[in-house]
Amino acid sequence: MRVRIYKPTKSAAQAGRAKTHDWLLEPELLTPRTPEPLMGWVSASDTLSELKGRLRFQTQDDAVAFAKRKGWECVVEEPAERRITPRNYLDNFKITRPQDEERKQKA
């Protein structure tokens, strides 16, 4: 079985970065989800679909060690670095703002 290990990004509705510090282990589904003919509920014959998608770990090494202990093949996705551009309130009132200067230099 293959699992994906990654660090989640913050949602668009979220202002802070809570719940983005843990590493998640998520199984790749082996069988397609199909609607049940009687009730119309979505079902799968894979028992790992009951995992509700994710296991949380404090570190990447813990998640990889858990997957190896279970004999699972794991794919680790490294998180993208967060780039913060320093901004100043005073820059809004300058004749040429720093963003405009960067655009001129790139062009």
Side-chain angles (χ1 to χ4, degrees):
M1 180 177 81
R2 288 179 58 127
V3 294
R4 182 173 78 131
I5 299 172
Y6 65 100
K7 203 168 192 180
T9 59
K10 78 179 192 76
S11 70
Q14 185 178 1
R17 290 189 324 227
K19 297 185 181 179
T20 61
H21 303 293
D22 291 340
W23 287 83
L24 299 180
L25 183 138
E26 186 175 78
E28 292 183 4
L29 300 176
L30 301 176
T31 59
R33 297 184 185 269
T34 56
E36 185 183 323
L38 179 63
M39 296 295 289
W41 296 342
V42 177
S43 66
S45 61
D46 187 14
T47 57
L48 286 175
S49 64
E50 297 300 318
L51 187 60
K52 302 294 183 209
R54 302 176 176 136
L55 293 175
R56 292 187 177 273
F57 294 93
Q58 293 290 323
T59 63
Q60 176 185 353
D61 296 333
D62 291 342
V64 170
F66 179 80
K68 297 224 186 223
R69 239 186 353 253
K70 296 291 184 183
W72 297 340
E73 178 185 345
C74 61
V75 176
V76 178
E77 295 179 6
E78 295 294 329
E81 277 195 38
R82 185 170 177 231
R83 285 180 266 134
I84 301 174
T85 56
R87 291 181 280 177
N88 190 352
Y89 182 70
L90 184 62
D91 292 339
N92 294 331
F93 302 103
K94 286 184 177 179
I95 295 173
T96 55
R97 297 184 307 175
Q99 297 95 339
D100 298 334
E101 290 176 5
E102 290 177 10
R103 289 181 191 150
K104 287 179 185 177
Q105 291 174 359
K106 290 181 182 177

